[in-house]
Amino acid sequence: MALPVNDIELGIGDERATLGDHLAFLWEGADEFADGVGFLRSGLEAGDYCVIFGHNDANEQVLAVLREQGVDIEALLTSGRLTLMQGTEDAGAMLAGIGASFGDSVGKGARVIRLLGNLGWGHTGWPNEREILAFEAKVTDAARLFPCVVVCMYDVGRLSGSILVHGAYETHPRIIQRGVVRENAYHVSTDRFLESLKDADPL
């Protein structure tokens, strides 16, 4: 039985999300990373349109897990049900590209669009951390405009505490950790977060 359009199975434990959600998935270890990628696999099995977004190396990490799980990546890319977005040096261009991809998917009749952001913090040539933080905050507002769910993956074992606080916690309304979705008491509204970036370097 198909889920109501406002009730989306995340493919992470028994958790569900509603359209317009922007969640941080906090993972430790390869098994949890694969669980996060299950968010895309679940959508592909349900007929949703999916977008993978991140630094090139981070994207390849996601694709490798999907291939291991038996997903025919090439066929999905050709059909347009799976879109691969590479990183760029301009955070504004990233957001515009995601919006265009969402619009294209809606035009093709997408019921739900799933975006998995594996940002690859710390890669050379990637936008600076301030730009990425602004991007993450803006995604929260952008997601509300489309029939989509956005999950951003954070490697909590590798990232600095400041990135986790300002990125995962302050820019995401909800958090997924150890397979459980919870409301994020530390979320900061987009306008207030962007203002804080102007006033002081948070990192």
Side-chain angles (χ1 to χ4, degrees):
M1 183 177 75
L3 291 169
V5 76
N6 64 339
D7 185 12
I8 308 304
E9 189 175 311
L10 284 176
I12 301 169
D14 295 324
E15 294 299 308
R16 297 174 186 259
T18 56
L19 291 182
D21 263 348
H22 179 210
L23 306 100
F25 178 76
L26 308 181
W27 64 276
E28 294 184 78
D31 288 346
E32 285 194 353
F33 182 84
D35 287 345
V37 177
F39 164 68
L40 288 185
R41 191 187 67 253
S42 178
L44 293 168
E45 291 170 354
D48 299 340
Y49 283 62
C50 295
V51 179
I52 302 170
F53 176 81
H55 185 276
N56 296 1
D57 292 345
N59 286 355
E60 285 302 321
Q61 196 177 7
V62 173
L63 292 176
V65 171
L66 287 173
R67 287 189 178 102
E68 286 171 10
Q69 295 174 348
V71 176
D72 187 345
I73 299 296
E74 284 64 35
L76 288 165
L77 290 170
T78 300
S79 71
R81 285 215 25 246
L82 180 64
T83 301
L84 184 62
M85 295 185 66
Q86 305 297 337
T88 172
E89 293 187 7
D90 178 74
M94 287 189 271
L95 197 61
I98 288 171
S101 176
F102 282 175
D104 183 55
S105 297
V106 170
K108 292 176 181 174
R111 180 189 75 104
V112 177
I113 308 154
R114 298 182 185 225
L115 176 88
L116 185 68
N118 187 24
L119 295 176
W121 291 91
H123 281 277
T124 304
W126 193 243
N128 67 46
E129 288 171 346
R130 183 186 290 265
E131 288 180 323
I132 289 289
L133 290 173
F135 163 81
E136 284 276 51
K138 291 175 182 176
V139 166
T140 296
D141 289 342
R144 297 189 183 110
L145 304 176
F146 297 95
C148 70
V149 176
V150 183
V151 172
C152 297
M153 302 185 78
Y154 282 80
D155 179 356
V156 297
R158 189 179 67 83
L159 296 178
S160 69
S162 62
I163 290 296
L164 287 173
V165 169
H166 299 293
Y169 287 102
E170 292 188 345
T171 63
H172 293 78
R174 298 215 286 166
I175 300 286
I176 311 169
Q177 191 167 28
R178 295 183 178 87
V180 177
V181 174
R182 60 183 172 82
E183 298 300 318
N184 179 11
Y186 302 101
H187 175 244
V188 177
S189 69
T190 300
D191 289 347
R192 193 153 61 89
F193 186 83
L194 295 177
E195 196 61 37
S196 74
L197 285 182
K198 292 179 190 174
D199 293 341
D201 185 352
L203 301 176

